[in-house]
Amino acid sequence: MLIPTQNHHDQTPGAASSPAPTVSWTDDPIHVHHRTVNIEGVSVFYREAGPSDAPAVLLLHGFGASSHMFRDLIPKLAHRYRVLAPDLPGFGQTTVLPDKEFEYSFQRLTSVIDAFTAVMG
């Protein structure tokens, strides 16, 4: 997959404005990890890529979707960011553990994602 990178040229002395950056492409491969973590009785599936010490970006999908919708975006962001894209409970590959009851409400979804972000740092 080709990934865009920006190169900024030096500004010409006396120029009124900065020149637009040029875009070049790199073939640097990015490996996207598929993992799960147990959060409040929910096995949260998530996709992760990028350096662990980079600024983090959390990608949350909407209803009727999953983290799969970010499959092309994650590698593009992972060159500069730690990217985390969880599936919400009831969507994608996230599942409630068999011995747990789960109330599918906005408040409960928020609680799980809040705990997920705390665990992931």
Side-chain angles (χ1 to χ4, degrees), residues 4 9 13 22 27 32-33 40 46 48 54 56-57 59 63 69 71 76 79 84 88 97 100 107 112 115-116:
H9 298 287
T22 59
D27 283 315
V32 178
H33 302 277
E40 300 179 4
Y46 65 99
E48 180 178 22
V57 173
L59 301 176
F63 287 95
M69 71 182 286
R71 67 191 174 281
K76 292 177 182 178
H79 284 280
L84 297 162
L88 295 173
L97 300 178
K100 299 292 180 181
Q107 183 176 1
V112 170
F116 173 81

Side-chain angles (χ1 to χ4, degrees), residues 1 20 24 28 31 41 51 56-57 59 61 68 83 88 94-95 101-103 106 119:
M1 170 180 287
S24 62
D28 292 343
H31 185 72
V57 173
L59 301 176
H61 63 80
H68 183 262
V83 183
L88 295 173
T94 290
T95 58
E101 288 187 30
F102 189 84
E103 178 186 345
F106 287 115
V119 167

Side-chain angles (χ1 to χ4, degrees), residues 73-91:
L73 179 60
I74 292 170
K76 292 177 182 178
L77 294 174
H79 284 280
R80 300 180 101 178
Y81 302 98
R82 176 182 181 207
V83 183
L84 297 162
D87 286 348
L88 295 173
F91 298 91

Side-chain angles (χ1 to χ4, degrees), residues 1-100:
M1 170 180 287
L2 296 176
I3 307 299
T5 58
Q6 291 188 350
N7 297 316
H8 297 278
H9 298 287
D10 292 331
Q11 185 174 348
T12 305
S17 63
S18 302
T22 59
V23 176
S24 62
W25 297 90
T26 178
D27 283 315
D28 292 343
I30 292 292
H31 185 72
V32 178
H33 302 277
H34 299 116
R35 299 185 167 129
T36 59
V37 61
N38 186 336
I39 304 289
E40 300 179 4
V42 178
S43 178
V44 177
F45 171 87
Y46 65 99
R47 298 164 198 268
E48 180 178 22
S52 62
D53 61 345
V57 173
L58 179 65
L59 301 176
L60 297 176
H61 63 80
F63 287 95
S66 70
S67 63
H68 183 262
M69 71 182 286
F70 300 119
R71 67 191 174 281
D72 295 328
L73 179 60
I74 292 170
K76 292 177 182 178
L77 294 174
H79 284 280
R80 300 180 101 178
Y81 302 98
R82 176 182 181 207
V83 183
L84 297 162
D87 286 348
L88 295 173
F91 298 91
Q93 297 181 55
T94 290
T95 58
V96 175
L97 300 178
D99 60 336
K100 299 292 180 181

